[in-house]
Amino acid sequence: MGSSKTPDYSRVVVIDDLLMDKQGIYPFKDGIVTHALMGRYGNMFLVNNRSTDIQNVSKGDVWRYYFVNTANARPFKIAISGAKMKMIASDQGVFEREFFADDFVISPGERYIVDIMFDFIDGKKQASLSAIHPSGPTLLSKFKMSGMATKSEVSSSDFAKLRMNAEESKEFEPIKAKLSQPPLKHLTIDAELTGPHASHMMTKSHSDGIEWDDDMGPMSADITSADVKWFMKDEETKKLNMDINWKFNHNESVKIRIDNKGKTHPMQHPIHFHGQRFVVLARNGKPNDNLAWKDTALLPAGETMDIVLDNQNKGKWMAHCHISEHLAVGMMIGFEVK
Ligand SMILES: [Cu+2]
């Protein structure tokens, strides 16, 4: 394996948000799902259950962070300042090539493994991790410098290297050959609105196809499971959601196109497959040149994503949108691997 040497320290980072009102946590109701159109966006950000996470680190330390986003709906753009960040792996495996990054986007259900070297450049004694949104950054974690590293020499010279994971690249070769082939399955995404909200559903769409915040105001909560149905449609059979039941052979690799061009309420959807792994082969027809095994991938509004699903586990499975409210109003399909 060519994958990176594990740094001396590691930590799991659970990113979440919580919707609070004056009484406390905005209530969940019995038998009805609020925020069914947008999903429930929180107004308080949490890192490992704290509103501001503080960690002491030594100058020169390299830490490996295992990020997971457990929010109902919110994607986070995570940025670092005062330290350097290297992307190692995603949900199910390493990237073909490690790379340095200033920020990365993590949607509900996604995971990223990231190495951070605390070099505290420019004489600063503090580094920070923030969520970057159009309205500005929100501080998530503060890292305070507490002395010089003891084990850093090996780690920091290792940190400077960007590894090529040749074994994985080789494994991806037959998958990349599917670029020129038509997809075996084709899903489209849209929503259906009924009731008093049906006429005023368009929200302003962002140029990157991502709703970073719920800007619908109080109306967002009032659109419930009684008013909206989110669906994925099989373009071949025209079946919707759980009426879809694809049959695949064990170890069959299947190219699936997912189209998020629905007009009812354009927004992003994090698509998750149970029981298998996949790669994002292309977005909007443009090949992905740095593959990693995943099980969840964010599909912005107006975009198309081609994935290759690697059916290695027999059984009956589902795939769904990872926005909890979308899932609750039906946005899931079935498939079977025999
Ligand atoms: Cu969704």
Side-chain angles (χ1 to χ4, degrees):
M1 273 281 285
S3 65
S4 202
K5 175 185 173 297
T6 307
D8 299 316
Y9 311 96
S10 66
R11 195 167 182 230
V12 172
V13 184
V14 180
I15 311 274
D16 205 347
D17 66 356
L18 202 56
L19 182 60
M20 307 289 288
D21 63 15
K22 283 177 192 139
Q23 281 77 46
I25 294 176
Y26 188 91
F28 290 88
K29 290 175 182 162
D30 265 347
I32 198 152
V33 179
T34 65
H35 302 86
L37 189 64
M38 289 285 296
R40 177 186 279 241
Y41 282 65
N43 48 15
M44 179 193 239
F45 291 7
L46 297 172
V47 175
N48 292 342
N49 241 7
R50 294 182 199 97
S51 55
T52 305
D53 178 59
I54 299 171
Q55 197 193 329
N56 290 318
V57 292
S58 299
K59 186 175 165 73
D61 275 353
V62 180
W63 283 70
R64 175 155 294 180
Y65 290 92
Y66 297 83
F67 283 91
V68 57
N69 177 355
T70 60
N72 279 31
R74 182 187 293 279
F76 289 87
K77 184 184 270 188
I78 306 283
I80 189 97
S81 80
K84 287 197 188 76
M85 192 157 75
K86 182 166 76 170
M87 306 301 290
I88 306 293
S90 191
D91 316 332
Q92 298 260 355
V94 294
F95 287 105
E96 284 182 270
R97 294 184 315 281
E98 295 176 353
F99 56 101
F100 296 113
D102 295 325
D103 56 53
F104 65 96
V105 175
I106 185 165
S107 67
E110 264 190 308
R111 285 91 72 211
Y112 282 101
I113 300 176
V114 177
D115 283 358
I116 297 180
M117 185 168 82
F118 294 97
D119 45 5
F120 294 104
I121 40 169
D122 308 330
K124 287 186 187 129
K125 290 203 160 53
Q126 203 160 291
S128 61
L129 206 64
S130 302
I132 305 291
H133 293 104
S135 54
T138 303
L139 181 69
L140 295 175
S141 294
K142 258 190 233 173
F143 305 96
K144 290 184 177 169
M145 192 173 101
S146 62
M148 297 297 286
T150 48
K151 317 188 213 172
S152 71
E153 268 175 46
V154 177
S155 300
S156 58
S157 72
D158 189 72
F159 183 87
K161 291 178 199 149
L162 292 174
R163 280 182 178 68
M164 310 279 278
N165 294 311
E167 207 175 291
E168 282 75 11
S169 284
K170 208 169 165 219
E171 192 180 23
F172 291 138
E173 270 170 29
I175 289 167
K176 287 179 181 170
K178 289 188 183 286
L179 259 171
S180 55
Q181 297 171 10
L184 188 74
K185 299 290 182 191
H186 185 190
L187 288 173
T188 53
I189 293 171
D190 210 348
E192 202 177 87
L193 275 141
T194 51
H197 304 286
S199 58
H200 49 80
M201 270 322 97
M202 298 293 291
T203 50
K204 66 171 187 259
S205 60
H206 296 277
S207 58
D208 56 7
I210 295 176
E211 302 276 2
W212 294 101
D213 255 312
D214 181 349
D215 34 28
M216 290 179 73
M219 191 174 76
S220 188
D222 295 341
I223 304 174
T224 70
S225 43
D227 308 306
V228 58
K229 179 183 170 188
W230 277 101
F231 57 83
M232 292 193 271
K233 184 203 270 181
D234 182 335
E235 282 299 313
E236 187 191 350
T237 61
K238 307 297 177 195
K239 287 183 175 173
L240 303 182
N241 292 341
M242 284 308 281
D243 287 340
I244 299 169
N245 187 18
W246 292 334
K247 311 269 188 227
F248 300 132
N249 295 318
H250 187 221
N251 291 327
E252 182 185 7
S253 294
V254 179
K255 182 172 174 180
I256 301 168
R257 178 161 294 165
I258 310 170
D259 233 321
N260 187 11
K261 292 183 179 160
K263 296 279 184 277
T264 307
H265 181 81
M267 71 176 289
Q268 76 284 352
H269 301 275
I271 304 297
H272 173 55
F273 277 76
H274 282 197
Q276 322 297 334
R277 57 184 188 173
F278 66 76
V279 297
V280 177
L281 189 64
R283 288 180 180 276
N284 298 318
K286 189 174 171 281
N288 178 1
D289 68 356
N290 195 1
L291 303 185
W293 286 116
K294 292 184 64 63
D295 53 50
T296 309
L298 187 65
L299 180 55
E303 295 198 8
T304 300
M305 163 167 94
D306 288 347
I307 66 167
V308 176
L309 186 69
D310 184 28
N311 291 299
Q312 289 200 335
N313 285 311
K314 291 181 184 175
K316 289 181 177 172
W317 305 97
M318 66 185 277
H320 63 91
C321 174
H322 220 295
I323 293 178
S324 307
E325 289 73 21
H326 292 182
L327 173 61
V329 298
M331 199 172 175
M332 61 183 122
I333 65 168
F335 67 101
E336 188 172 0
V337 180
K338 279 207 248 203

